[in-house]
Amino acid sequence: MRLGETGFTTMCESDAPGDVVDFLRGYHDRLGKAVFENEGTLDKYLGDGLMGTFGTPEPSENDASNALQCAFDMLEVLSIWNRDRNAEGLPPVRIGIGIHFGPVISGDIGNRRRLEYSVIGDTVNVASRLE
């Protein structure tokens, strides 16, 4: 796997599909746990990314600090995973994290055949751009 050297898209194009899926399962498992352990909601997986929210559907006064702690925990778990990957001769995994705090529009988005709970709005857009 060449993720650290060339990126996820190239990895998908060049590595065996099973290897890509195995990588994503480990990646999503590690980073998703950080969301849940900090009282977040895992909104969705986005290929090699994920979107977590804090304060949905019920806001609390700890949402901003929980989001920040989640980011720190993600960096820590990634550091540990990269040490293990290095020992196996695999390249490091690098990530970007974008966090923004503010109002969102939340609810079921889609159509009758497929509805998905999500958040949208300027707060979400800014976090995505920061990432």
Side-chain angles (χ1 to χ4, degrees):
M1 288 191 196
R2 294 171 280 291
L3 183 64
E5 298 166 5
T6 58
F8 182 69
T9 301
T10 302
M11 180 180 138
C12 289
E13 294 168 348
S14 61
D15 288 7
D19 291 341
V20 174
V21 171
D22 287 344
F23 169 81
L24 284 176
R25 284 185 180 146
Y27 177 81
H28 289 149
D29 180 57
R30 287 168 174 82
L31 298 185
K33 281 181 185 175
V35 173
F36 295 125
E37 289 172 355
N38 286 286
E39 300 180 34
T41 300
L42 186 52
D43 186 290
K44 63 179 63 81
Y45 293 112
L46 306 157
D48 63 335
L50 56 88
M51 181 172 150
T53 62
F54 296 83
T56 56
E58 295 294 324
S60 80
E61 47 186 66
N62 299 322
D63 297 333
S65 59
N66 288 342
L68 286 172
Q69 186 59 54
C70 177
F72 291 132
D73 290 353
M74 285 178 168
L75 293 172
E76 177 62 26
V77 76
L78 193 63
S79 175
I80 293 166
W81 193 29
N82 278 333
R83 275 191 296 240
D84 295 342
R85 288 175 59 81
N86 184 52
E88 296 172 24
L90 297 170
V93 177
R94 294 180 180 88
I95 62 171
I97 299 174
I99 302 173
H100 190 43
F101 186 78
V104 298
I105 300 165
S106 65
D108 294 326
I109 298 169
N111 62 33
R112 285 186 282 175
R113 295 187 79 185
R114 185 173 188 282
L115 285 175
E116 180 177 290
Y117 179 82
S118 192
V119 294
I120 58 174
D122 188 57
T123 302
V124 177
N125 296 339
V126 170
S128 176
R129 286 178 179 89
L130 290 171
E131 185 261 339

